[in-house]
Amino acid sequence: MNTPEPFAATRPTAPGGYLELLSRAGRLRHRVRLGALPLRAGRAYHNDLILDDPYVCPTHAELELAGDRLRVRDLGSRNGVVAPGGRRTHDEVWVASGQTFQLGRAKLRFRSTGFPVAPAREDRDASWLLRLFERPGFLVPLLLGTAALSAWLTVLESAKRMEPSALATRVAGIALGLVLWTLVWSAATRLAQHRWRFLSHCGVACGALWASAATETGLLYLVFALQLPTAWEPLLVAASAPALILPLYGHLRFASGASHRRLGWIATGVVCALLALVAVFQYGVDDPFQDAPELSVPLKPPAFLLVRGESPAAFFQRAADLEAVLVDERTEKK
């Protein structure tokens, strides 16, 4: 005849909820299922729930379920139990589902199995947009368009007629820079994710060039249309930050497995730091004398002007007055 073990009758299993250990900021650190009750909590190793807190006694309190509430009974501890309302006591405390209490400085929260949870969030992951760079039908036209864009920008930035060979050399240099940039990110992805993703990073780099060109063109048209002074240039540089943050975020998404929010903050911080350095070196030093002419507001078609600027007659008159002043100063020096 088999005799049942007495231990099985003394500790019935009652899975009535969970006990959550919180940080001081209220963030969840650990979750314990309340199975065999009652259970004892303390700092000693013979307890069911061990709390590594110097303000918790070796045997601090006993926890037991009563319906949908948790009864916390102090076992003669030095610091007692902090009730949900913040009152410290050496007596028993009743904790409802969702409420917090403290043993020493360990913050605990009770959750019953019937505690309602928030509905699931809609997954709005934007990875599908990045996956477009892995499709040849999208990537090949993007690469060809990037080469044409590089050639067009090179012609626009040149002040003289360019020979086809020189133009091809400039475009090849831009292409080589994109390849090297892609190889760096591919190597980083290989180390972190064990995959190269060369085409993905190449597509992101091409997209970055298009975004940068579109942003710069739009800002220059805005400067010309509103006839903004040069004092607005640092703000316009800052306005180009999104065109740099998004491609950097795309590279990080392929190279790292961190959360979207964390990668977004990293990309934003890096771009802001780089723009700050550019602003310091470009606008922090006031040098009135330069060895090359600088065009602060590129010329655009007059139809894009939104404000009435200086008339041609007034411009030439002001130029003539300035020339007369220079002639007088030269005559006085002689």
Side-chain angles (χ1 to χ4, degrees), residues 140-296:
V140 172
L142 180 63
L143 293 176
L144 296 177
T146 303
L149 176 65
S150 303
W152 176 248
L153 293 178
T154 302
V155 172
L156 289 181
E157 294 173 357
S158 177
K160 58 183 181 180
R161 182 179 179 181
M162 293 191 66
E163 297 295 331
S165 58
L167 180 60
T169 302
R170 291 287 300 274
V171 173
I174 296 175
L176 179 60
L178 286 176
V179 171
L180 293 177
W181 175 264
T182 303
L183 285 175
V184 170
W185 279 105
S186 297
T189 306
R190 176 63 180 174
L191 293 175
Q193 302 288 338
H194 306 289
R195 297 180 63 183
W196 282 102
R197 292 188 178 274
F198 180 83
L199 295 179
S200 303
H201 287 295
C202 184
V204 172
C206 293
L209 183 61
W210 276 94
S212 177
T215 304
E216 182 180 3
T217 301
L219 292 177
L220 291 179
Y221 268 98
L222 181 64
V223 171
F224 177 77
L226 300 179
Q227 295 292 290
L228 298 178
T230 55
W232 284 81
E233 288 185 9
L235 294 179
L236 295 177
V237 171
S240 63
L244 302 176
I245 293 175
L246 292 178
L248 181 57
Y249 171 79
H251 284 303
L252 292 173
R253 282 285 288 118
F254 285 119
S256 174
S259 64
H260 301 173
R261 179 177 297 181
R262 184 176 182 182
L263 295 179
W265 281 113
I266 292 175
T268 302
V270 170
V271 170
C272 290
L274 291 177
L275 289 180
L277 289 176
V278 170
V280 168
F281 286 103
Q282 187 170 355
Y283 305 109
V285 180
D286 186 14
D287 185 10
F289 300 100
Q290 299 182 5
D291 56 358
E294 187 174 300
L295 190 62
S296 59

Side-chain angles (χ1 to χ4, degrees), residues 24 42-43 50-58 60 79 102-107:
R24 293 187 179 182
R43 193 157 37 88
I50 300 175
L51 299 174
D52 189 13
D53 185 343
Y55 299 94
V56 173
C57 289
H60 198 105
N79 296 310
Q102 284 187 214
L103 300 180
R105 292 191 178 180
K107 184 181 294 185

